[in-house]
Amino acid sequence: SKKAGLVNDGFWGFPIRSTTLYKGGVYLKSENPNASVTVSLESLDGKTVYASTKIQNIGKNWQKFSFALTTGKKITATKDARFCITADNNGKYWITRVTLFPPTFNNRENGSRIDLMTMMKNMNPKFLRFPGGNYLEGNRFADRFNWKATIGDVDQRPGHQSPWGYTSTDGFGLLEFLNWAEDMGAEPLLAVFAGYTLNGDHLEGDALQPFIQDALDEIEYVTGGADTKWGAQRIKDGHPAPFNLHYVEIGNEDWFDRSGSYAQRYRQMYEAIKAKYPQLHLISTTGRGTNMSEIMNEPGIKLDIIDEHYYRGAGDMYRAAFQYDNYDRKGPKVFCGEWATREGEPTTNMNAALGDAAWMTCMERNSDVVIASCYAPIFVNVNPGGSQWQSDLMGYNALNAYGSPSYYAQVMFGNYLGDKVVPVSAENIPQFNLPMNHFDSIRGAKPSTVPELYYVATKDSKTGVVNLKVVNAVGKAQTLDINIEGADKIVSKALKVQLSSAKPEDTNTIDNPTKIVPVKSSAKVGKQFTHVFAPYSVTVLQIQTK
């Protein structure tokens, strides 16, 4: 006899592995006596059943059923699978709100993938900005990130339309974002809706007050105790301890605001948040050089931090690699909230990693001004149709994940970092001619020369470890004479970590995930030493000083 039911092929498959527990839930009702269904994970042709279980005692009223599926011991890992709900008896069945989770990071309910979270944690992140980007604003007020509709019972969240053409269930809501940050050992950097949507609709003055209150309530949810309304709600939702919040961003990319309302909206929100939470550092989403830069000259407006976003090619990163060296130290601090070298698809190539690393030397060297930065976007599904943005940091499919060369540059910069910048002076750095690219033609830029080498050094004041980072942007080895001044003693053997490739267009893929990865070795160093840096390379020398 033929079976009747529902089949779901997942997001290009399901991650099937041996001896794995999958937790699920479904709402069911039926008018049939003795109604039951079978839920299963099967091969695409239905001939192999990896795991199955029955759900019985289905009644006439909606009821949620939780279930578990456990695969056998000898299964070859595959993503070519489907999830099935099959009726065991004739009759009518009503089905809604079906969920299925593989094991999650830290075993969180409604949690995140273990492999992706592990890769993020390996970057040693200090914060997570969320909800971030256009997702915060939405195309309309009804489509904004309405955080109050994203907390509590996951099954009761209405969801909303995202600005990128798909519906978000809001299964990943505010508390899930907060847990994500906590699980990585990072703190949240919270972006609050500021009364402006992507289609240009905006509110200010008295009309903005409900959204200002929403932002204050949101901060209370994140940081409040049991004696506060929204702190108590967070505790009820399952997180007793307040989260460690220091930074709040007001809006997103408001340099696109053609209404001219951001100065007023920012002022209103800044003053209200500071009045209740004076300890918080507030971030403006208008930066220098934008059409909204006049906000910086508005009387009475205080800019603590400005958010600057940069999506560039590698050549533009080389041109900008000293951008903050002459920044006004009396001006607002900088949060580089979105940036990336956009070369390679769906994830970046080695040339992008070189551009990223050159830019990171600039930000690290000027960390008295650039207080934080984050690459964007982080994840991309590599299946055809799964990408909406070229050049992402990490690729994945239903079964596996991998890091791009840019990802490994992030890992190196995030893990070999001191707490003090060491001044570096350089002489006779060779230059090379940048080829003109498509973006140059659009901007009317002229041919230019840029350095072949980029560098930064930091020191751990407790251990005396110095991390010297050098980026060689060209396809020839570079021999550098290095002099270290001010150290009484230097251990002659240093750790060397090198990311390099024979060709700048080389990359990692889902099928070849580790073609370009950091390689550790040792290097001879001293107060004066010579070192050869490989072509197309990002190198860290971890030097112990005493």
Side-chain angles (χ1 to χ4, degrees), residues 180-484:
W180 179 8
E182 184 174 79
D183 283 345
M184 292 191 301
E187 66 176 58
L189 190 155
L190 183 67
V192 295
F193 180 73
Y196 180 85
T197 66
L198 294 173
N199 69 4
D201 289 343
H202 65 280
L203 296 169
E204 53 189 306
D206 291 342
L208 186 61
Q209 288 302 320
F211 296 100
I212 294 176
Q213 188 59 53
D214 261 356
L216 295 173
D217 292 346
E218 188 172 13
I219 296 168
E220 184 175 283
Y221 184 89
V222 176
T223 65
D227 58 340
T228 65
K229 175 183 177 181
W230 292 105
Q233 181 64 50
R234 183 200 66 247
I235 295 169
K236 181 181 176 183
D237 292 342
H239 198 283
F243 289 92
N244 197 20
L245 181 69
H246 291 100
Y247 294 90
V248 172
E249 183 165 20
I250 300 173
N252 172 69
E253 291 188 340
D254 282 279
W255 56 78
F256 287 123
D257 175 8
R258 301 294 185 262
S259 72
S261 66
Y262 184 66
Q264 175 62 34
R265 292 186 290 109
Y266 172 81
R267 184 202 302 270
Q268 286 181 257
M269 299 201 74
Y270 181 98
E271 291 176 351
I273 295 171
K274 276 289 187 181
K276 188 171 182 180
Y277 300 101
Q279 77 279 12
L280 291 178
H281 303 285
L282 303 185
I283 303 171
S284 162
T285 64
T286 63
R288 296 168 297 115
T290 71
N291 68 315
M292 288 294 293
S293 60
E294 64 268 15
I295 187 178
M296 299 178 71
N297 299 316
E298 286 271 337
I301 284 188
K302 178 75 168 66
L303 291 181
D304 299 340
I305 307 162
I306 56 177
D307 185 359
E308 299 186 347
H309 296 179
Y310 298 106
Y311 294 106
R312 298 163 164 154
D316 283 334
M317 286 301 193
Y318 300 145
R319 291 189 185 102
F322 301 92
Q323 173 174 318
Y324 293 114
D325 288 29
N326 297 312
Y327 182 87
D328 180 6
R329 263 51 188 175
K330 295 180 181 179
K333 302 293 187 182
V334 173
F335 168 46
C336 197
E338 295 180 24
W339 68 269
T341 304
R342 297 192 64 197
E343 296 190 18
E345 187 177 3
T347 52
T348 58
N349 57 27
M350 187 63 201
N351 207 46
L354 295 171
D356 289 345
W359 176 240
M360 285 190 284
T361 65
C362 175
M363 293 190 291
E364 188 173 303
R365 184 172 57 251
N366 292 283
S367 52
D368 61 319
V369 169
V370 184
I371 60 164
S373 75
C374 52
Y375 187 101
I378 296 176
F379 298 125
V380 61
N381 190 313
V382 299
N383 285 279
S387 172
Q388 293 187 309
W389 184 266
Q390 179 184 324
S391 307
D392 301 270
L393 197 64
M394 296 178 235
Y396 67 92
N397 61 18
L399 189 64
N400 297 313
Y402 72 97
S404 67
S406 292
Y407 165 77
Y408 288 108
Q410 291 277 334
V411 170
M412 291 168 66
F413 270 75
N415 284 280
Y416 299 97
L417 184 65
D419 58 357
K420 291 186 177 180
V421 175
V422 176
V424 179
S425 59
E427 297 176 355
N428 303 318
I429 299 296
Q431 305 274 313
F432 74 105
N433 296 318
L434 275 181
M436 296 286 284
N437 62 33
H438 171 68
F439 299 107
D440 295 332
S441 302
I442 293 175
R443 291 196 314 270
K446 296 180 179 179
S448 58
T449 59
V450 294
E452 295 180 352
L453 294 163
Y454 303 86
Y455 44 83
V456 67
T458 60
K459 179 182 179 180
D460 187 315
S461 57
K462 293 181 180 179
T463 65
V465 168
V466 171
N467 292 295
L468 173 63
K469 297 165 183 165
V470 177
V471 182
N472 183 6
V474 297
K476 63 181 179 181
Q478 306 273 9
T479 302
L480 294 185
D481 296 322
I482 300 171
N483 299 320
I484 301 177

